[in-house]
Amino acid sequence: ADVAFRETYFNNKFPWGINTGYPIDVESVVLHEAGHGLSLGHFGKLFMTDANGKFHFAPLAVMNAGYTGVQQVLSGTDNAAFCSIWASWPNR
């Protein structure tokens, strides 16, 4: 029952957008935060590629610990995480 009453607040100081040139896609952030609302934590390993100096996560997933760009659809890794938590619901 506690999952049904969780609240998520979004800071209006960030430049939110949906499929725009804004730096942060609000649908990606909402999907990530909804994952927390359904009891998922962060996963994936952060690493830097020496060739281009950019940071990446492996595996790339909505529930990575940092913003990785537009991700408006769950990946296979995200689906597996949901199934591992909720597969036995409501028998937990």
Side-chain angles (χ1 to χ4, degrees), residues 12-14 20-23 28-29 32 48 50 52-53 60-61 67-69 73 86:
N12 62 2
K13 302 289 185 200
F14 287 98
T20 65
Y22 288 116
S28 300
V29 173
H32 174 91
M48 187 175 84
D50 292 333
N52 63 11
L60 184 62
Y67 182 75
T68 55
V73 178
W86 294 101

Side-chain angles (χ1 to χ4, degrees), residues 17-90:
I18 299 173
N19 295 326
T20 65
Y22 288 116
I24 302 172
D25 180 70
V26 70
E27 289 183 355
S28 300
V29 173
V30 168
L31 185 59
H32 174 91
E33 295 305 325
H36 288 308
L38 293 170
S39 302
L40 284 181
H42 293 135
F43 56 85
K45 181 177 167 85
L46 176 66
F47 64 94
M48 187 175 84
T49 303
D50 292 333
N52 63 11
K54 293 186 178 181
F55 288 100
H56 307 276
F57 283 95
L60 184 62
V62 170
M63 293 309 297
N64 289 138
Y67 182 75
T68 55
V70 177
Q71 291 187 53
Q72 298 171 344
V73 178
L74 294 175
S75 71
T77 306
D78 295 303
N79 284 328
F82 280 109
C83 289
S84 70
I85 292 175
W86 294 101
S88 61
W89 184 83

